[in-house]
Amino acid sequence: MSPEQLLALDARHVWHPFTQAAAARPPILAASAKGASITAADGRTYLDLVSSWWVNLHGHGHPAIAAAIAQQAATMEQVIFADFTHAPAAELAARVAALLPGDLDRVFYSDDGSTAVEVAMKLSLQFWSNRGIAGRDLFVGFEGGYHGDTVGAMSAGHSSGFFSAWKGMLFPVETVPFPATWDGDDAVAAKEAASLDALDRLFAAKPGRVAAVLIEPLIQGAGGMRMCRPAFLAALAERVRAEGALLIFDEVMTGFGRTGPIFACQKAGIVPDLVCLSKGLTGGFLAMALTVAREEIYREFLGPDLDRAFLHGHSYTANPLGCAAGLASLDLLLSDACSARRAAIEAIHRARLDDLATRADISRTRLCGTIAAFDVGGSGGSGYGAAIGPRLKAAAFDRGLLLRPLGNVLYLLPPYCLSDEELHRAWDGIGQILAELAG
Ligand SMILES: Cc1ncc(COP(=O)(O)O)c(C=O)c1O
């Protein structure tokens, strides 16, 4: 079929996510992808600076992951995960548990970031009820947090502003301010204190009521790449422990090396009670997620009664192809070559952000691991719907750069295979786009 025919089929039959089809440009027909580049059917290439929605850890089409999937597919593509287990699932669970700190040893498999969060929330509620403790049924999230599109995840992220159409189906979740910070921010300590005070007040007003506090550690992703300091997470963990509630780290985006160490909780020196992982887990090849629980939580689900068990699961739970991809991706992630690339990307980001910081039309430069972000000024306000966002994106696409601003926030979250030359090309392009839009 010709590209024109395929685009006509898409226009007639496909409903794209997060897209206002009445106003959007027609989608780009992707034909192949290798390393950091996506090639379109018309021959144009796009440098994937967002790791295709933050999943492609090592770039596209990595031969080691492709080979691992092919080998697994030839052996066993899928098997029911109740009454059965299999080597890739057992090995992947053990390897992830070994990388996580403390007794985060129990791995529950699900399908994507949203389900990983949904599982963590359901586990929290059932943990308290299995313990025979009534009334611990409230969740606390952070303003601007985003945790996915299922009902629990939407409820936890209700302040992100994405979910007004579904207000009626969400359950109440308390929120406290997130102490977002950036380079040279001299108000950060005051913001952290205000956030912790709000939490203290909430705990004081509702003693023994909070089941769990849920946070994207170090970086709120979809909320605008808003970053906080590791010390804030340590202070938060202390308060949550003192109140006796559970602490859930949603590391769906921050996991697998994005913030520097393999997991953000390591940077903060914290052992949360539950950790949600997805996105980079399979290196971007297959949809899969993990909710990792401390052993103490798992034990609360054991007993003679079926009711005490976690009666939750998905058809494709622990799909062997996804697990094989996860194992191959971990091998790549833990290699010296990958650490060196991540360090190089962070160093280039730092230098280029510092250069950019001299421009009057940008502010709030920030960096955490391989994630760099800044706010772009101009009329049209800020936030996800800021008018500047679509203009920035269109200008980037025209230059062969796949960037998806979050409103007026421009960020780079590249695959670790990105070369120095490619990254400098991206930053040069950003400089040209800003100059063009300013003119
Ligand atoms: C922190 C965080 N949690 C959960 C999700 C939901 O993940 P998914 O889109 O795979 O359901 C996302 C997605 O962007 C996320 O950034």
Side-chain angles (χ1 to χ4, degrees), residues 81-144:
F81 205 60
D83 296 318
F84 283 84
T85 190
H86 48 80
E91 285 171 22
L92 182 62
R95 285 189 67 185
V96 170
L99 289 169
L100 281 163
D103 64 340
L104 279 160
D105 283 339
R106 270 308 150 171
V107 174
F108 191 92
Y109 282 93
S110 67
D111 297 345
D112 51 41
S114 305
T115 55
V117 169
E118 211 73 20
V119 164
M121 295 178 83
K122 288 176 73 173
L123 283 175
S124 303
L125 286 186
Q126 193 179 345
F127 169 79
W128 293 116
S129 101
N130 280 0
R131 236 185 207 189
I133 292 174
R136 270 210 188 268
D137 53 6
L138 275 182
F139 289 96
V140 179
F142 283 80
E143 281 168 14

Short mmCIF file of all heavy atoms in Angstrom, two decimals, residues 81-144:
data_model
loop_
_atom_site.label_atom_id
_atom_site.label_comp_id
_atom_site.label_asym_id
_atom_site.label_seq_id
_atom_site.Cartn_x
_atom_site.Cartn_y
_atom_site.Cartn_z
N PHE A 81 -0.13 -17.19 33.91
CA PHE A 81 0.81 -16.95 35.01
C PHE A 81 0.20 -17.27 36.38
O PHE A 81 0.73 -16.89 37.41
CB PHE A 81 1.34 -15.51 34.95
CG PHE A 81 2.68 -15.35 35.60
CD1 PHE A 81 3.79 -16.06 35.15
CD2 PHE A 81 2.87 -14.49 36.68
CE1 PHE A 81 5.04 -15.92 35.74
CE2 PHE A 81 4.11 -14.34 37.29
CZ PHE A 81 5.19 -15.06 36.82
N ALA A 82 -0.96 -17.94 36.39
CA ALA A 82 -1.45 -18.53 37.63
C ALA A 82 -1.21 -20.03 37.47
O ALA A 82 -1.44 -20.56 36.38
CB ALA A 82 -2.93 -18.23 37.82
N ASP A 83 -0.75 -20.68 38.48
CA ASP A 83 -0.35 -22.10 38.46
C ASP A 83 0.94 -22.36 37.67
O ASP A 83 1.49 -23.45 37.74
CB ASP A 83 -1.46 -23.01 37.89
CG ASP A 83 -2.69 -23.01 38.78
OD1 ASP A 83 -2.52 -23.06 40.02
OD2 ASP A 83 -3.81 -22.92 38.24
N PHE A 84 1.39 -21.43 36.86
CA PHE A 84 2.62 -21.59 36.11
C PHE A 84 3.57 -20.43 36.41
O PHE A 84 3.14 -19.34 36.75
CB PHE A 84 2.36 -21.60 34.60
CG PHE A 84 1.79 -22.88 34.09
CD1 PHE A 84 0.42 -23.12 34.16
CD2 PHE A 84 2.61 -23.87 33.54
CE1 PHE A 84 -0.12 -24.32 33.70
CE2 PHE A 84 2.08 -25.06 33.08
CZ PHE A 84 0.71 -25.29 33.17
N THR A 85 4.85 -20.70 36.25
CA THR A 85 5.84 -19.62 36.18
C THR A 85 6.78 -19.98 35.04
O THR A 85 6.60 -20.98 34.35
CB THR A 85 6.57 -19.43 37.52
OG1 THR A 85 7.34 -18.22 37.44
CG2 THR A 85 7.49 -20.59 37.87
N HIS A 86 7.78 -19.16 34.81
CA HIS A 86 8.75 -19.49 33.76
C HIS A 86 10.07 -18.77 34.03
O HIS A 86 10.10 -17.81 34.83
CB HIS A 86 8.20 -19.17 32.36
CG HIS A 86 7.59 -17.82 32.22
ND1 HIS A 86 8.35 -16.69 32.05
CD2 HIS A 86 6.30 -17.40 32.23
CE1 HIS A 86 7.56 -15.64 31.95
NE2 HIS A 86 6.30 -16.04 32.06
N ALA A 87 11.10 -19.23 33.36
CA ALA A 87 12.45 -18.73 33.66
C ALA A 87 12.57 -17.23 33.51
O ALA A 87 13.07 -16.55 34.43
CB ALA A 87 13.47 -19.47 32.78
N PRO A 88 12.14 -16.63 32.37
CA PRO A 88 12.38 -15.18 32.26
C PRO A 88 11.67 -14.37 33.35
O PRO A 88 12.22 -13.36 33.82
CB PRO A 88 11.86 -14.81 30.86
CG PRO A 88 11.33 -16.04 30.24
CD PRO A 88 11.65 -17.21 31.11
N ALA A 89 10.48 -14.80 33.78
CA ALA A 89 9.76 -14.04 34.82
C ALA A 89 10.49 -14.16 36.16
O ALA A 89 10.66 -13.16 36.88
CB ALA A 89 8.34 -14.56 34.97
N ALA A 90 10.92 -15.36 36.51
CA ALA A 90 11.61 -15.55 37.79
C ALA A 90 12.95 -14.80 37.79
O ALA A 90 13.31 -14.14 38.77
CB ALA A 90 11.84 -17.04 38.04
N GLU A 91 13.65 -14.87 36.67
CA GLU A 91 14.97 -14.22 36.61
C GLU A 91 14.84 -12.70 36.62
O GLU A 91 15.60 -12.01 37.32
CB GLU A 91 15.73 -14.67 35.35
CG GLU A 91 16.26 -16.08 35.48
CD GLU A 91 16.82 -16.63 34.17
OE1 GLU A 91 17.17 -15.83 33.28
OE2 GLU A 91 16.88 -17.86 34.03
N LEU A 92 13.88 -12.17 35.86
CA LEU A 92 13.73 -10.71 35.82
C LEU A 92 13.33 -10.17 37.20
O LEU A 92 13.86 -9.17 37.67
CB LEU A 92 12.69 -10.31 34.76
CG LEU A 92 12.50 -8.80 34.60
CD1 LEU A 92 13.79 -8.10 34.14
CD2 LEU A 92 11.38 -8.49 33.60
N ALA A 93 12.39 -10.87 37.86
CA ALA A 93 11.96 -10.43 39.19
C ALA A 93 13.16 -10.41 40.15
O ALA A 93 13.36 -9.45 40.90
CB ALA A 93 10.86 -11.35 39.72
N ALA A 94 13.95 -11.46 40.10
CA ALA A 94 15.10 -11.55 41.02
C ALA A 94 16.13 -10.46 40.71
O ALA A 94 16.70 -9.85 41.63
CB ALA A 94 15.75 -12.93 40.90
N ARG A 95 16.34 -10.18 39.43
CA ARG A 95 17.36 -9.18 39.09
C ARG A 95 16.90 -7.77 39.48
O ARG A 95 17.69 -6.96 39.95
CB ARG A 95 17.70 -9.26 37.61
CG ARG A 95 18.58 -10.49 37.33
CD ARG A 95 19.13 -10.50 35.95
NE ARG A 95 20.08 -9.43 35.72
CZ ARG A 95 20.62 -9.18 34.53
NH1 ARG A 95 20.30 -9.93 33.49
NH2 ARG A 95 21.48 -8.19 34.37
N VAL A 96 15.63 -7.47 39.25
CA VAL A 96 15.13 -6.14 39.62
C VAL A 96 15.16 -6.00 41.15
O VAL A 96 15.57 -4.96 41.69
CB VAL A 96 13.72 -5.89 39.05
CG1 VAL A 96 13.11 -4.62 39.63
CG2 VAL A 96 13.78 -5.79 37.53
N ALA A 97 14.74 -7.04 41.85
CA ALA A 97 14.74 -6.99 43.33
C ALA A 97 16.17 -6.77 43.84
O ALA A 97 16.39 -6.02 44.80
CB ALA A 97 14.15 -8.27 43.90
N ALA A 98 17.14 -7.41 43.20
CA ALA A 98 18.53 -7.26 43.65
C ALA A 98 19.04 -5.84 43.42
O ALA A 98 19.90 -5.35 44.16
CB ALA A 98 19.43 -8.27 42.92
N LEU A 99 18.50 -5.17 42.42
CA LEU A 99 18.94 -3.79 42.13
C LEU A 99 18.29 -2.77 43.05
O LEU A 99 18.83 -1.71 43.30
CB LEU A 99 18.62 -3.43 40.67
CG LEU A 99 19.47 -4.13 39.61
CD1 LEU A 99 18.89 -3.90 38.21
CD2 LEU A 99 20.92 -3.65 39.67
N LEU A 100 17.08 -3.10 43.53
CA LEU A 100 16.37 -2.18 44.41
C LEU A 100 16.91 -2.30 45.84
O LEU A 100 17.38 -3.37 46.24
CB LEU A 100 14.87 -2.49 44.39
CG LEU A 100 14.11 -1.95 43.17
CD1 LEU A 100 12.76 -2.64 43.02
CD2 LEU A 100 13.93 -0.43 43.27
N PRO A 101 16.85 -1.22 46.61
CA PRO A 101 17.41 -1.29 47.97
C PRO A 101 16.50 -2.04 48.94
O PRO A 101 15.32 -2.27 48.68
CB PRO A 101 17.51 0.19 48.36
CG PRO A 101 16.44 0.87 47.58
CD PRO A 101 16.31 0.10 46.28
N GLY A 102 17.07 -2.40 50.09
CA GLY A 102 16.31 -2.98 51.20
C GLY A 102 15.60 -4.27 50.84
O GLY A 102 16.09 -5.05 50.03
N ASP A 103 14.43 -4.45 51.45
CA ASP A 103 13.69 -5.70 51.22
C ASP A 103 12.57 -5.51 50.19
O ASP A 103 11.51 -6.12 50.28
CB ASP A 103 13.14 -6.24 52.55
CG ASP A 103 12.12 -5.30 53.17
OD1 ASP A 103 12.13 -4.11 52.80
OD2 ASP A 103 11.32 -5.74 54.01
N LEU A 104 12.83 -4.67 49.20
CA LEU A 104 11.91 -4.55 48.06
C LEU A 104 12.13 -5.79 47.19
O LEU A 104 12.86 -5.75 46.20
CB LEU A 104 12.19 -3.26 47.29
CG LEU A 104 11.59 -1.99 47.89
CD1 LEU A 104 12.30 -0.75 47.38
CD2 LEU A 104 10.09 -1.91 47.61
N ASP A 105 11.50 -6.86 47.58
CA ASP A 105 11.85 -8.17 47.02
C ASP A 105 10.72 -8.86 46.27
O ASP A 105 10.95 -9.89 45.63
CB ASP A 105 12.28 -9.10 48.17
CG ASP A 105 13.69 -8.79 48.64
OD1 ASP A 105 14.44 -8.17 47.86
OD2 ASP A 105 14.02 -9.14 49.79
N ARG A 106 9.49 -8.36 46.39
CA ARG A 106 8.34 -9.07 45.80
C ARG A 106 7.83 -8.33 44.58
O ARG A 106 7.44 -7.17 44.67
CB ARG A 106 7.19 -9.12 46.79
CG ARG A 106 7.14 -10.28 47.70
CD ARG A 106 7.23 -11.60 47.06
NE ARG A 106 7.86 -12.48 48.03
CZ ARG A 106 7.98 -13.78 47.91
NH1 ARG A 106 7.52 -14.41 46.84
NH2 ARG A 106 8.57 -14.48 48.84
N VAL A 107 7.81 -9.01 43.47
CA VAL A 107 7.49 -8.37 42.20
C VAL A 107 6.14 -8.84 41.68
O VAL A 107 5.93 -10.04 41.49
CB VAL A 107 8.60 -8.71 41.17
CG1 VAL A 107 8.23 -8.18 39.79
CG2 VAL A 107 9.93 -8.13 41.63
N PHE A 108 5.23 -7.89 41.47
CA PHE A 108 3.94 -8.22 40.86
C PHE A 108 3.95 -7.66 39.44
O PHE A 108 4.20 -6.48 39.22
CB PHE A 108 2.79 -7.59 41.67
CG PHE A 108 1.44 -8.10 41.23
CD1 PHE A 108 0.87 -9.21 41.86
CD2 PHE A 108 0.76 -7.52 40.16
CE1 PHE A 108 -0.36 -9.71 41.43
CE2 PHE A 108 -0.46 -8.01 39.74
CZ PHE A 108 -1.01 -9.11 40.37
N TYR A 109 3.67 -8.53 38.47
CA TYR A 109 3.71 -8.12 37.06
C TYR A 109 2.36 -7.55 36.61
O TYR A 109 1.31 -8.10 36.95
CB TYR A 109 4.01 -9.33 36.17
CG TYR A 109 5.46 -9.75 36.16
CD1 TYR A 109 5.94 -10.72 37.03
CD2 TYR A 109 6.35 -9.18 35.26
CE1 TYR A 109 7.28 -11.12 37.00
CE2 TYR A 109 7.69 -9.56 35.22
CZ TYR A 109 8.15 -10.54 36.09
OH TYR A 109 9.45 -10.91 36.05
N SER A 110 2.42 -6.46 35.82
CA SER A 110 1.21 -6.01 35.12
C SER A 110 1.63 -5.42 33.76
O SER A 110 2.70 -5.78 33.26
CB SER A 110 0.39 -5.03 35.97
OG SER A 110 1.10 -3.83 36.16
N ASP A 111 0.79 -4.55 33.21
CA ASP A 111 0.91 -4.25 31.78
C ASP A 111 1.55 -2.92 31.39
O ASP A 111 2.11 -2.79 30.31
CB ASP A 111 -0.48 -4.27 31.13
CG ASP A 111 -1.11 -5.65 31.22
OD1 ASP A 111 -0.40 -6.61 31.51
OD2 ASP A 111 -2.34 -5.74 31.01
N ASP A 112 1.36 -1.89 32.21
CA ASP A 112 1.86 -0.57 31.83
C ASP A 112 1.97 0.29 33.09
O ASP A 112 1.65 -0.17 34.19
CB ASP A 112 0.95 0.10 30.78
CG ASP A 112 -0.50 0.09 31.21
OD1 ASP A 112 -0.78 0.33 32.39
OD2 ASP A 112 -1.37 -0.21 30.35
N GLY A 113 2.39 1.52 32.92
CA GLY A 113 2.59 2.36 34.09
C GLY A 113 1.33 2.56 34.91
O GLY A 113 1.36 2.53 36.15
N SER A 114 0.21 2.73 34.21
CA SER A 114 -1.05 2.96 34.93
C SER A 114 -1.41 1.75 35.79
O SER A 114 -1.84 1.91 36.95
CB SER A 114 -2.19 3.23 33.94
OG SER A 114 -1.87 4.29 33.08
N THR A 115 -1.27 0.57 35.23
CA THR A 115 -1.64 -0.62 36.02
C THR A 115 -0.65 -0.85 37.16
O THR A 115 -1.03 -1.34 38.23
CB THR A 115 -1.76 -1.89 35.16
OG1 THR A 115 -0.55 -2.10 34.45
CG2 THR A 115 -2.92 -1.82 34.20
N ALA A 116 0.61 -0.47 36.96
CA ALA A 116 1.58 -0.61 38.06
C ALA A 116 1.15 0.25 39.24
O ALA A 116 1.25 -0.16 40.41
CB ALA A 116 2.98 -0.21 37.59
N VAL A 117 0.64 1.45 38.93
CA VAL A 117 0.18 2.36 39.99
C VAL A 117 -1.13 1.83 40.61
O VAL A 117 -1.29 1.82 41.83
CB VAL A 117 -0.02 3.78 39.42
CG1 VAL A 117 -0.74 4.68 40.41
CG2 VAL A 117 1.33 4.38 39.04
N GLU A 118 -2.03 1.38 39.75
CA GLU A 118 -3.31 0.85 40.22
C GLU A 118 -3.05 -0.31 41.20
O GLU A 118 -3.68 -0.41 42.26
CB GLU A 118 -4.10 0.35 39.00
CG GLU A 118 -5.58 0.44 39.12
CD GLU A 118 -6.11 1.87 39.01
OE1 GLU A 118 -5.42 2.75 38.49
OE2 GLU A 118 -7.22 2.09 39.50
N VAL A 119 -2.12 -1.17 40.83
CA VAL A 119 -1.78 -2.32 41.69
C VAL A 119 -1.22 -1.82 43.02
O VAL A 119 -1.60 -2.32 44.09
CB VAL A 119 -0.77 -3.25 40.96
CG1 VAL A 119 -0.09 -4.20 41.93
CG2 VAL A 119 -1.47 -4.02 39.84
N ALA A 120 -0.34 -0.83 42.98
CA ALA A 120 0.25 -0.32 44.23
C ALA A 120 -0.84 0.24 45.14
O ALA A 120 -0.82 0.03 46.36
CB ALA A 120 1.29 0.76 43.92
N MET A 121 -1.81 0.93 44.55
CA MET A 121 -2.88 1.53 45.38
C MET A 121 -3.77 0.43 45.95
O MET A 121 -4.14 0.46 47.13
CB MET A 121 -3.69 2.52 44.54
CG MET A 121 -2.85 3.73 44.11
SD MET A 121 -3.74 4.91 43.08
CE MET A 121 -4.60 5.87 44.34
N LYS A 122 -4.12 -0.54 45.12
CA LYS A 122 -4.97 -1.64 45.62
C LYS A 122 -4.25 -2.45 46.70
O LYS A 122 -4.84 -2.85 47.71
CB LYS A 122 -5.40 -2.53 44.44
CG LYS A 122 -6.43 -1.87 43.53
CD LYS A 122 -6.78 -2.72 42.31
CE LYS A 122 -7.64 -3.92 42.67
NZ LYS A 122 -8.10 -4.64 41.44
N LEU A 123 -2.96 -2.70 46.48
CA LEU A 123 -2.18 -3.44 47.49
C LEU A 123 -2.18 -2.69 48.81
O LEU A 123 -2.30 -3.29 49.89
CB LEU A 123 -0.73 -3.64 47.02
CG LEU A 123 -0.46 -4.72 45.98
CD1 LEU A 123 1.01 -4.68 45.54
CD2 LEU A 123 -0.80 -6.12 46.52
N SER A 124 -2.04 -1.36 48.73
CA SER A 124 -1.98 -0.56 49.97
C SER A 124 -3.26 -0.72 50.77
O SER A 124 -3.22 -0.96 51.99
CB SER A 124 -1.80 0.93 49.64
OG SER A 124 -0.65 1.12 48.89
N LEU A 125 -4.39 -0.57 50.08
CA LEU A 125 -5.67 -0.67 50.81
C LEU A 125 -5.85 -2.06 51.41
O LEU A 125 -6.25 -2.22 52.57
CB LEU A 125 -6.84 -0.36 49.87
CG LEU A 125 -7.04 1.10 49.48
CD1 LEU A 125 -8.32 1.26 48.67
CD2 LEU A 125 -7.11 1.99 50.72
N GLN A 126 -5.52 -3.07 50.62
CA GLN A 126 -5.74 -4.44 51.12
C GLN A 126 -4.74 -4.79 52.22
O GLN A 126 -5.06 -5.56 53.14
CB GLN A 126 -5.66 -5.46 49.98
CG GLN A 126 -6.20 -6.82 50.42
CD GLN A 126 -6.18 -7.84 49.31
OE1 GLN A 126 -6.03 -7.51 48.14
NE2 GLN A 126 -6.33 -9.12 49.69
N PHE A 127 -3.54 -4.22 52.14
CA PHE A 127 -2.55 -4.44 53.21
C PHE A 127 -3.14 -4.05 54.56
O PHE A 127 -3.07 -4.81 55.53
CB PHE A 127 -1.29 -3.62 52.91
CG PHE A 127 -0.31 -3.57 54.04
CD1 PHE A 127 0.55 -4.63 54.29
CD2 PHE A 127 -0.23 -2.44 54.86
CE1 PHE A 127 1.47 -4.57 55.34
CE2 PHE A 127 0.69 -2.37 55.89
CZ PHE A 127 1.53 -3.45 56.13
N TRP A 128 -3.75 -2.86 54.62
CA TRP A 128 -4.31 -2.40 55.90
C TRP A 128 -5.50 -3.25 56.30
O TRP A 128 -5.66 -3.60 57.47
CB TRP A 128 -4.67 -0.92 55.83
CG TRP A 128 -3.45 -0.05 55.71
CD1 TRP A 128 -3.13 0.75 54.65
CD2 TRP A 128 -2.37 0.05 56.63
NE1 TRP A 128 -1.91 1.36 54.87
CE2 TRP A 128 -1.43 0.95 56.09
CE3 TRP A 128 -2.10 -0.51 57.88
CZ2 TRP A 128 -0.25 1.30 56.74
CZ3 TRP A 128 -0.92 -0.17 58.53
CH2 TRP A 128 0.00 0.72 57.96
N SER A 129 -6.34 -3.60 55.33
CA SER A 129 -7.51 -4.39 55.74
C SER A 129 -7.08 -5.81 56.15
O SER A 129 -7.61 -6.35 57.12
CB SER A 129 -8.59 -4.34 54.65
OG SER A 129 -8.58 -5.49 53.89
N ASN A 130 -6.09 -6.39 55.47
CA ASN A 130 -5.59 -7.70 55.89
C ASN A 130 -4.99 -7.64 57.30
O ASN A 130 -5.05 -8.59 58.06
CB ASN A 130 -4.52 -8.21 54.92
CG ASN A 130 -5.12 -8.81 53.66
OD1 ASN A 130 -6.33 -8.84 53.49
ND2 ASN A 130 -4.27 -9.27 52.75
N ARG A 131 -4.41 -6.50 57.61
CA ARG A 131 -3.82 -6.32 58.94
C ARG A 131 -4.89 -6.13 60.02
O ARG A 131 -4.57 -6.05 61.20
CB ARG A 131 -2.93 -5.09 58.92
CG ARG A 131 -1.57 -5.45 59.35
CD ARG A 131 -0.60 -4.38 59.50
NE ARG A 131 0.67 -5.06 59.25
CZ ARG A 131 1.84 -4.54 59.44
NH1 ARG A 131 1.94 -3.30 59.86
NH2 ARG A 131 2.93 -5.23 59.22
N GLY A 132 -6.12 -5.95 59.56
CA GLY A 132 -7.21 -5.75 60.51
C GLY A 132 -7.30 -4.32 61.00
O GLY A 132 -7.87 -4.05 62.06
N ILE A 133 -6.72 -3.41 60.23
CA ILE A 133 -6.76 -2.00 60.64
C ILE A 133 -7.80 -1.29 59.78
O ILE A 133 -7.67 -1.22 58.56
CB ILE A 133 -5.36 -1.36 60.50
CG1 ILE A 133 -4.45 -2.00 61.54
CG2 ILE A 133 -5.43 0.16 60.66
CD1 ILE A 133 -3.02 -1.61 61.48
N ALA A 134 -8.83 -0.79 60.43
CA ALA A 134 -9.92 -0.14 59.69
C ALA A 134 -9.62 1.35 59.54
O ALA A 134 -8.94 1.94 60.37
CB ALA A 134 -11.23 -0.35 60.43
N GLY A 135 -10.12 1.91 58.46
CA GLY A 135 -10.10 3.38 58.33
C GLY A 135 -8.89 3.94 57.63
O GLY A 135 -8.86 5.12 57.28
N ARG A 136 -7.86 3.12 57.39
CA ARG A 136 -6.72 3.65 56.63
C ARG A 136 -7.05 3.49 55.14
O ARG A 136 -6.62 2.54 54.49
CB ARG A 136 -5.43 2.88 56.95
CG ARG A 136 -4.64 3.45 58.10
CD ARG A 136 -3.15 3.20 57.96
NE ARG A 136 -2.43 3.58 59.17
CZ ARG A 136 -1.89 4.79 59.37
NH1 ARG A 136 -1.96 5.71 58.45
NH2 ARG A 136 -1.26 5.04 60.50
N ASP A 137 -7.83 4.46 54.63
CA ASP A 137 -8.30 4.30 53.26
C ASP A 137 -8.11 5.56 52.42
O ASP A 137 -8.67 5.69 51.34
CB ASP A 137 -9.78 3.89 53.26
CG ASP A 137 -10.63 4.83 54.08
OD1 ASP A 137 -10.10 5.86 54.55
OD2 ASP A 137 -11.83 4.56 54.26
N LEU A 138 -7.29 6.48 52.92
CA LEU A 138 -7.06 7.72 52.16
C LEU A 138 -5.70 7.66 51.47
O LEU A 138 -4.75 7.09 52.02
CB LEU A 138 -7.00 8.91 53.12
CG LEU A 138 -8.28 9.59 53.53
CD1 LEU A 138 -7.94 10.77 54.44
CD2 LEU A 138 -9.04 10.08 52.30
N PHE A 139 -5.64 8.28 50.30
CA PHE A 139 -4.34 8.43 49.61
C PHE A 139 -3.96 9.90 49.59
O PHE A 139 -4.82 10.78 49.53
CB PHE A 139 -4.42 7.91 48.18
CG PHE A 139 -4.52 6.42 48.10
CD1 PHE A 139 -5.76 5.79 47.97
CD2 PHE A 139 -3.38 5.63 48.18
CE1 PHE A 139 -5.85 4.41 47.91
CE2 PHE A 139 -3.47 4.24 48.12
CZ PHE A 139 -4.70 3.64 47.98
N VAL A 140 -2.65 10.14 49.61
CA VAL A 140 -2.14 11.51 49.47
C VAL A 140 -1.22 11.55 48.27
O VAL A 140 -0.33 10.69 48.12
CB VAL A 140 -1.35 11.95 50.73
CG1 VAL A 140 -0.82 13.37 50.56
CG2 VAL A 140 -2.22 11.86 51.98
N GLY A 141 -1.46 12.51 47.39
CA GLY A 141 -0.59 12.72 46.23
C GLY A 141 -0.02 14.13 46.26
O GLY A 141 -0.22 14.87 47.23
N PHE A 142 0.66 14.49 45.18
CA PHE A 142 1.28 15.82 45.11
C PHE A 142 0.68 16.63 43.98
O PHE A 142 0.36 16.08 42.92
CB PHE A 142 2.80 15.68 44.94
CG PHE A 142 3.47 15.33 46.23
CD1 PHE A 142 3.47 14.01 46.69
CD2 PHE A 142 4.02 16.31 47.03
CE1 PHE A 142 4.02 13.69 47.91
CE2 PHE A 142 4.57 16.00 48.26
CZ PHE A 142 4.58 14.69 48.70
N GLU A 143 0.55 17.94 44.23
CA GLU A 143 -0.01 18.81 43.19
C GLU A 143 0.83 18.69 41.92
O GLU A 143 2.06 18.73 41.99
CB GLU A 143 -0.05 20.27 43.68
CG GLU A 143 -1.22 20.52 44.60
CD GLU A 143 -1.14 21.85 45.34
OE1 GLU A 143 -0.33 22.72 44.97
OE2 GLU A 143 -1.89 21.99 46.33
N GLY A 144 0.16 18.52 40.79
CA GLY A 144 0.87 18.40 39.52
C GLY A 144 1.31 16.98 39.20
O GLY A 144 1.87 16.74 38.13
#
